[in-house]
Amino acid sequence: MTEAQEPHDSNISGTSAVAKAAAGLKLYDTATHAVSHFEPIKPGQVGIYVCGATVQSSPHIGHIRAAVAFDVIRRWFLKLGYQVTFVRNVTDIDDKILDKAAAAGQQWWARAYHYEREFTQAYDTLGVLPPTYEPRATGHMLDMIDLIQKIIDNGHAYVVRDEDGKPTGNVYFDVASWPHYGELTHQKQGAAEADEAAAVADRMGPSVDAAGNDKYNPVDPADMSPDKHDPRDFALWKAPKDTDPMDARWNTPFGTGRPGWHIECSAMSHRYLDGMFDIHGGGLDLRFPHHENEMAQTRAAGYDSAAHWMHSAWVTAKGEKMSKSLGTGLSVPSVLAEHSAWVVRYALGSVQYRSMLEWSDQALVEAQAAYDRVSNFIERAGVALGEQPGREEIVAVSADALPADFVSALNEDFNVSGATAAIFTAIRNGNTLLSQLADRADSEAARAEVREALVSVRAMLDTLGLDPLAEPWIGGGTAAGAAGEGENREHEVLDALISEQLDARAEARKARDFAKADAIRDALNAAGIAIEDGPQGSTWSLK
């Protein structure tokens, strides 16, 4: 992969125009603490930048929750008919990467690439769409150097020099020179305490606005330098540590070194979203200092910052933020070893992105139950119809054709819980239609209603990345038991075995050997197989 991957198709919704439903979209802006109607900078287009991973070690559930949350947001924009440019960066040069690589006897870039691939695999496995661009920090050093120079030229940064007047490689943003600093998290410059707006922000999560020795926001070592003019100033460029490898240093007009924590996102968001920077997303714990500093330096360079800032809440375990630093992280491979990818994605995306997600065995049990209900309806409907609608038909359903309660929920700041409730309402109605199918005299009209319900349910699921008959679920066997397109081998074998029992039961009933027929039915029921008799014969489904 070069500086950025080849662009992923920016619109998978199958629509060519923005849906009427888009007029109702409202989202919460972290900077304003308000929910307001969304208007794109460019009509019909949406630009989104989401902070990606620092690839120091394996991904855990906390990382992937943010990826799934913003994947749902992106998918809803696509379903509304917008052309979406989605950028997610990779931080592949960082103190932690360098230190951990040295401790493990690795090349820092080899370690970064190894874990970058692990993150990519986790995203793919959990159905997260590839970004339009996925730039690496190391591929954009010239962009960062140019941006820092602009900030210096505009009088908002200073170069630290040695006693001989030579640049040391340390460059700091001059917070005092930028009167807008604190606008994202509503912190007043020079005030002992933040105003009420900052208190509101702080209540959104523990310690998110606290600098210093904060377990959620560890301070960059360079930010502790005595060379800073003000304690609030932060590093744009850092002189190398003695332990830094020679290939982790870049020459600049302000000395040899490497970038500070925040500068890469400003450089890359401008590179890929200039003139179309609608939304900046990331985890809640990035609001301060990362995003506050990013907003300041971007604007101080003369560039436009994001029109909207959106932050996903973190995953908690027994009320405490899940992170590797707290020792409660759950690796993605370990979770996937015990649960299907569909179930894990459902659990991660089961609540609205701004809500804390409590991770527990119960959450996964509920996700598995949801899968059973979904796959059971899709299978039964497919059997009744004798086919499954093709993926092209499902993808082509526009937002305007989806149920009103589903659209209303997602338009209200991406309320996934409400959208999921709408899906299960539709499934209940669909099951009622299926139970009435044999008794309806207008069989063709009844079948058409079942088909409409099936298409609607699958289209809603697809909007959330959960249609069981779509990739990656069908390829990984997650849709076992869902008849039709892409049936897997396990379902074929199970169907053959059960069909043999149903044939034997039919023969017993024909011979009026009802005791044998009932025994076969009871044995199947005990194994978790539900039998439904109809005019065309008997069908089965998983309970």
Side-chain angles (χ1 to χ4, degrees):
M1 188 169 65
T2 55
E3 289 188 1
Q5 290 181 339
E6 286 299 306
H8 177 69
D9 185 359
S10 62
N11 196 323
I12 63 167
S13 69
T15 58
S16 58
V18 176
K20 293 179 181 178
L25 178 61
K26 294 183 289 185
L27 55 82
Y28 179 88
D29 191 323
T30 304
T32 63
H33 297 316
V35 175
S36 59
H37 284 281
F38 173 77
E39 289 289 342
I41 296 171
K42 290 186 177 180
Q45 301 181 55
V46 175
I48 302 174
Y49 184 98
V50 173
C51 286
T54 298
V55 286
Q56 54 172 307
S57 54
S58 297
H60 61 68
I61 289 300
H63 294 131
I64 303 302
R65 191 275 165 103
V68 170
F70 283 99
D71 187 60
V72 170
I73 290 169
R74 176 189 186 183
R75 285 173 182 269
W76 184 233
F77 276 115
L78 290 169
K79 183 58 69 175
L80 289 172
Y82 285 107
Q83 296 288 330
V84 179
T85 301
F86 190 93
V87 184
R88 184 182 66 217
N89 71 305
V90 175
T91 300
D92 60 342
I93 180 73
D94 172 85
D95 279 298
K96 293 179 181 178
I97 294 172
L98 294 174
D99 293 345
K100 290 184 178 182
Q106 300 169 306
Q107 298 281 3
W108 64 269
W109 47 264
R111 183 183 183 90
Y113 184 71
H114 173 82
Y115 289 113
E116 179 186 335
R117 298 304 303 158
E118 280 199 13
F119 271 87
T120 299
Q121 183 177 4
Y123 296 143
D124 292 346
T125 301
L126 292 169
V128 175
L129 296 173
T132 314
Y133 302 103
E134 190 168 28
R136 295 188 186 120
T138 53
H140 294 74
M141 290 297 173
L142 293 180
D143 291 319
M144 288 185 257
I145 292 168
D146 288 346
L147 187 144
I148 291 170
Q149 190 62 59
K150 284 183 171 62
I151 299 172
I152 294 171
D153 293 343
N154 290 341
H156 299 299
Y158 53 91
V159 178
V160 176
R161 299 180 180 275
D162 63 19
E163 57 188 15
D164 296 324
K166 295 180 180 179
T168 63
N170 287 318
V171 182
Y172 291 98
F173 186 87
D174 186 357
V175 171
S177 76
W178 187 250
H180 305 289
Y181 189 82
E183 288 185 354
L184 177 62
T185 49
H186 299 266
Q187 299 178 78
K188 291 181 179 179
Q189 287 205 46
E193 295 182 85
D195 59 13
E196 174 56 24
V200 171
D202 195 51
R203 288 196 293 270
M204 294 172 64
S207 305
V208 290
D209 287 331
N213 188 21
D214 174 4
K215 62 186 176 183
Y216 298 130
N217 290 302
V219 172
D220 187 322
D223 289 337
M224 303 300 291
S225 171
D227 295 325
K228 295 199 305 181
H229 296 174
D230 186 299
R232 299 168 301 169
D233 295 351
F234 56 89
L236 299 176
W237 195 260
K238 306 188 299 186
K241 303 193 301 288
D242 292 341
T243 55
D244 287 352
M246 295 305 297
D247 59 358
R249 309 177 187 206
W250 286 262
N251 294 322
T252 76
F254 25 87
T256 300
R258 53 189 171 85
W261 177 20
H262 320 291
I263 197 68
E264 68 180 91
C265 290
S266 290
M268 291 189 283
S269 61
H270 178 71
R271 160 68 79 98
Y272 295 101
L273 294 174
D274 183 25
M276 198 178 65
F277 196 1
D278 294 285
I279 294 171
H280 195 312
L284 180 62
D285 47 347
L286 295 179
R287 290 188 309 119
F288 187 90
H290 184 49
H291 286 166
E292 185 70 71
N293 292 352
E294 186 185 337
M295 173 191 275
Q297 67 195 14
T298 298
R299 294 171 61 190
Y303 299 158
D304 288 331
S305 186
H308 302 277
W309 291 78
M310 300 177 68
H311 292 90
S312 62
W314 45 55
V315 179
T316 59
K318 298 181 180 179
E320 182 76 343
K321 176 179 179 279
M322 180 182 292
S323 69
K324 284 194 289 287
S325 62
L326 298 180
T328 56
L330 290 177
S331 72
V332 173
S334 66
V335 174
L336 290 174
E338 299 182 2
H339 306 278
S340 75
W342 192 101
V343 166
V344 174
R345 178 181 172 112
Y346 182 95
L348 286 171
S350 59
V351 298
Q352 196 245 19
Y353 73 97
R354 286 195 289 127
S355 298
M356 299 295 179
L357 175 63
E358 178 69 15
W359 192 255
S360 64
D361 291 339
Q362 182 60 32
L364 291 162
V365 168
E366 292 172 359
Q368 181 62 56
Y371 175 74
D372 292 340
R373 291 178 64 190
V374 165
S375 59
N376 186 42
F377 168 71
I378 291 176
E379 179 197 6
R380 290 182 64 214
V383 169
L385 296 172
E387 64 170 357
Q388 280 287 344
R391 279 288 299 155
E392 297 80 4
E393 181 178 356
I394 302 302
V395 171
V397 177
S398 76
D400 291 333
L402 293 172
D405 51 351
F406 180 84
V407 172
S408 177
L410 286 182
N411 266 348
E412 193 61 39
D413 195 30
F414 309 95
N415 180 2
V416 173
S417 297
T420 304
I423 291 173
F424 286 113
T425 295
I427 288 176
R428 283 195 300 273
N429 295 336
N431 282 327
T432 299
L433 291 173
L434 283 169
S435 67
Q436 297 171 345
L437 192 58
D439 299 327
R440 292 274 296 271
D442 54 342
S443 59
E444 286 305 312
R447 283 167 54 83
E449 290 178 11
V450 169
R451 194 178 198 285
E452 182 180 357
L454 176 58
V455 169
S456 181
V457 166
R458 285 187 55 196
M460 287 188 285
L461 288 165
D462 189 55
T463 302
L464 302 181
L466 291 170
D467 177 12
L469 297 181
E471 294 291 350
W473 322 121
I474 199 67
T478 308
E485 174 185 313
E487 281 184 334
N488 57 38
R489 181 61 181 160
E490 290 90 343
H491 179 262
E492 292 174 356
V493 172
L494 186 60
D495 184 56
L497 293 172
I498 296 173
S499 295
E500 183 177 342
Q501 292 296 304
L502 293 180
D503 290 342
R505 179 170 174 263
E507 288 298 322
R509 294 175 72 186
K510 186 176 179 180
R512 305 187 67 80
D513 187 353
F514 297 114
K516 181 178 180 181
D518 289 346
I520 293 173
R521 181 199 60 205
D522 293 344
L524 290 172
N525 281 337
I529 307 297
I531 304 301
E532 185 169 336
D533 297 319
Q536 274 88 45
S538 300
T539 59
W540 68 271
S541 62
L542 296 174
K543 287 184 177 180

